[in-house]
Amino acid sequence: MIKILLSGCNGKMGQVITRLSDNFSELKITAGFDINNNINNPYPVFTSLADCNADVDVIIDFSNPKAFKPLVEYAQEKHIPLVLATTGLSSEQITILKTSVSNRIPVFFSANMSLGVNLLIDLVKKAAKVLEDQFDIEIVEKHHNQKIDAPSGTALAIADAINDSLDEKYEYMYDRHSRRKKRSKQEIGIHAVRGGTIVGDHSVIFAGNDEIIEINHTALSKEIFAVGALKASIFLASKKPGLYSMSELISETN
């Protein structure tokens, strides 16, 4: 049995993970961490990591970038594998995660915990290689009106994956209204839409002469991200220190 410490347990995603964890016989949430302890959970919840004395095998974090520093310090001190699913991390935090933290403990980090989104990334990488220099590339992401970061981490991950597959590096263009000139061939447009209760929608548009290819993923509920995080915790529990992503989980599953 894999024992889980759920960081951000009283947030929306934390509660979805709590509910869905009952469907996984291999694991059990034995403790939670959240600065707001106003929800009754079937496990003890700590408002400070310093007070957490629970015996756990993996940490799942779906909280806030502000919790990054104390969380990774706690995970390293206790030598606990960390599934980091929080969005909106700064480039500095991601660098620390990749160059420092993952040298000490196993870290699972993905901009999006959905299996479908990660398959989309594989598809757009292949498409970009074939269509390079012939098609303009635009990324449009849509999320609910409560999402703070823009563009989404997933949109940036898609752009990075495309860029890595191209022979030449493309520039990211976030705001054409500030640049009054024709579109450059070597740019990737990234656009953010915020409204209503949209869970998450990502479209990659390859626009060529007289034809358009569009690859799209739409999330209909938060459950797909929760399931991905729970599967990642099972995957990570037996791993050595290092940085792992959804691609490794997918390949091991297959």
Side-chain angles (χ1 to χ4, degrees):
M1 179 70 69
I2 299 169
K3 299 181 288 294
I4 304 294
L5 168 61
L6 180 56
S7 173
C9 62
N10 288 338
K12 291 180 179 179
M13 278 305 309
Q15 288 299 291
V16 175
I17 291 174
T18 297
R19 174 168 53 84
L20 293 181
S21 65
D22 290 338
N23 298 332
F24 290 78
S25 59
E26 310 97 317
L27 57 80
K28 180 180 179 63
I29 301 175
T30 55
F33 163 62
D34 203 299
I35 58 174
N36 299 312
N37 191 12
N38 54 0
I39 296 177
N40 291 324
N41 291 293
Y43 48 79
V45 177
F46 300 89
T47 55
S48 170
L49 285 170
D51 298 330
C52 181
N53 56 4
D55 178 25
V56 298
D57 302 308
V58 179
I59 299 170
I60 297 178
D61 177 53
F62 251 117
S63 58
N64 187 288
K66 293 180 180 178
F68 177 84
K69 187 174 185 292
L71 186 69
V72 297
E73 288 177 350
Y74 177 84
Q76 291 176 96
E77 178 188 349
K78 303 291 185 180
H79 304 288
I80 305 173
L82 173 63
V83 175
L84 195 60
T86 295
T87 60
L89 295 178
S90 68
S91 57
E92 180 183 359
Q93 289 172 323
I94 294 174
T95 298
I96 291 171
L97 194 69
K98 292 180 176 180
T99 60
S100 176
V101 181
S102 60
N103 289 331
R104 298 179 175 88
I105 60 173
V107 175
F108 189 101
F109 176 67
S110 176
N112 191 298
M113 285 289 167
S114 160
L115 174 64
V117 162
N118 285 276
L119 290 175
L120 176 145
I121 291 175
D122 284 342
L123 290 172
V124 298
K125 287 170 65 177
K126 294 175 182 176
K129 289 179 181 178
V130 175
L131 304 175
E132 185 174 0
D133 296 330
Q134 304 173 55
F135 285 69
D136 297 322
I137 305 171
E138 299 283 312
I139 299 171
V140 181
E141 59 96 346
K142 306 172 187 177
H143 284 88
H144 53 86
N145 57 22
Q146 300 301 302
K147 187 171 178 61
I148 298 174
D149 56 309
S152 69
T154 301
L156 293 173
I158 293 170
D160 289 344
I162 292 173
N163 229 346
D164 290 342
S165 67
L166 300 175
D167 291 334
E168 297 184 41
K169 293 298 181 185
Y170 278 36
E171 175 189 9
Y172 297 164
M173 175 58 64
Y174 303 102
D175 182 14
R176 281 208 181 81
H177 134 278
S178 65
R179 181 185 295 189
R180 296 182 59 81
K181 66 178 185 178
K182 285 176 58 178
R183 184 192 200 282
S184 165
K185 288 295 294 182
Q186 289 185 317
E187 72 177 51
I188 299 175
I190 305 177
H191 314 277
V193 175
R194 296 290 176 267
T197 58
I198 302 171
V199 176
D201 186 286
H202 293 85
S203 296
V204 183
I205 302 166
F206 295 91
N209 292 331
D210 302 322
E211 61 180 332
I212 298 172
I213 300 169
E214 185 169 353
I215 303 174
N216 175 264
H217 177 272
T218 301
L220 300 179
S221 81
K222 294 179 182 294
E223 290 193 3
I224 61 173
F225 311 121
V227 170
L230 290 165
K231 287 184 176 180
S233 68
I234 297 170
F235 164 86
L236 197 66
S238 60
K239 292 293 182 287
K240 297 178 180 179
L243 186 66
Y244 302 89
S245 67
M246 189 62 75
S247 60
E248 283 94 356
L249 189 155
I250 292 171
S251 61
E252 185 170 294
T253 302
N254 293 336

